[in-house]
Amino acid sequence: DNLVADKMALTDEPEVSGNIFPYKKALLKANEYQYIKYLTEQLQNSRLPYRKAKNIHYCLPDSKYSTVMVRPLIKIFPKTIIKRDIAQTYLNGSIIALGLASYKAQFNEYPENLQTLHGKLKWKIPEDPFSGKYFVYKKQGNGYLLYSIAEDLQDNNGYKLPKGAKAEATPHDYVWEMQ
């Protein structure tokens, strides 16, 4: 197959003394092959939650000829998985907070735990995308603390990221709090 032959031709060092345009087509085909292969792998990885995709080693074959279009993607895909899970966390946390408000409206208090919310209102409790478990919920006086463990995958006891702090540098949780 021509694609394999073109790719194999790149393993030999081309002579630089003449015009390199004869190699242009082979370089582009090899680059297209690497690009499609890489995108296919990343699309498969993008279906994984961050907690599972976090330890995947993103790398390219060691070739200076076949990574022109692919190299910038190495940094993009892991970040998109995190952003997707953060967005899902906000959505799931808001769904739970809405259920808690509904529970409070019906029973004049917040439930002792999320299982009670599900049991009494049949409210579907979505999982924390980062832990794969229930969000952490603590009834506190007349209010509650609800949080996701966030992308560091550690329970930081509901520590809310201060405004302006960088999420990558500060251990935190995604927090919903009602007083």
Side-chain angles (χ1 to χ4, degrees):
D1 132 54
N2 287 341
L3 185 58
V4 173
D6 288 342
K7 183 179 177 214
M8 290 173 66
L10 292 175
T11 58
D12 299 322
E13 286 292 320
E15 290 186 26
V16 189
S17 59
N19 186 349
I20 78 161
F21 285 118
Y23 296 101
K24 182 178 178 185
K25 189 173 184 178
L27 289 172
L28 289 175
K29 284 193 179 214
N31 199 47
E32 290 170 8
Y33 170 80
Q34 290 296 331
Y35 182 74
I36 291 168
K37 181 180 175 195
Y38 183 76
L39 281 179
T40 302
E41 290 171 4
Q42 297 320 307
L43 287 172
Q44 291 171 347
N45 292 341
S46 72
R47 293 181 180 98
L48 297 172
Y50 173 72
R51 67 185 177 275
K52 292 181 180 176
K54 177 183 175 192
N55 295 322
I56 293 173
H57 182 63
Y58 297 93
C59 64
L60 292 170
D62 188 22
S63 169
K64 60 184 175 183
Y65 300 109
S66 62
T67 60
V68 176
M69 292 171 54
V70 180
R71 193 169 304 280
L73 295 175
I74 289 177
K75 293 182 180 179
I76 293 172
F77 272 106
K79 289 178 183 177
T80 59
I81 292 171
I82 292 171
K83 297 289 186 193
R84 180 212 50 214
D85 281 3
I86 290 170
Q88 190 65 53
T89 297
Y90 280 117
L91 178 63
N92 290 359
S94 297
I95 288 169
I96 295 169
L98 184 62
L100 292 168
S102 180
Y103 188 97
K104 169 111 178 179
Q106 283 191 358
F107 300 104
N108 207 29
E109 66 179 356
Y110 289 108
E112 293 298 319
N113 54 52
L114 294 178
Q115 291 82 354
T116 303
L117 173 63
H118 174 71
K120 287 195 175 182
L121 295 185
K122 303 300 181 219
W123 199 271
K124 184 177 184 289
I125 310 295
E127 73 176 22
D128 174 355
F130 290 105
S131 71
K133 302 174 184 173
Y134 277 144
F135 279 64
V136 177
Y137 170 78
K138 298 175 183 177
K139 185 176 176 183
Q140 297 180 327
N142 293 328
Y144 65 83
L145 175 67
L146 174 73
Y147 63 91
S148 159
I149 64 168
E151 60 268 26
D152 66 356
L153 305 179
Q154 301 295 317
D155 185 341
N156 295 298
N157 297 310
Y159 179 74
K160 192 172 187 172
L161 190 65
K163 290 190 185 217
K166 295 200 180 255
E168 309 85 41
T170 308
H172 65 283
D173 296 315
Y174 293 109
V175 179
W176 290 258
E177 191 168 18
M178 186 62 67
Q179 304 278 343

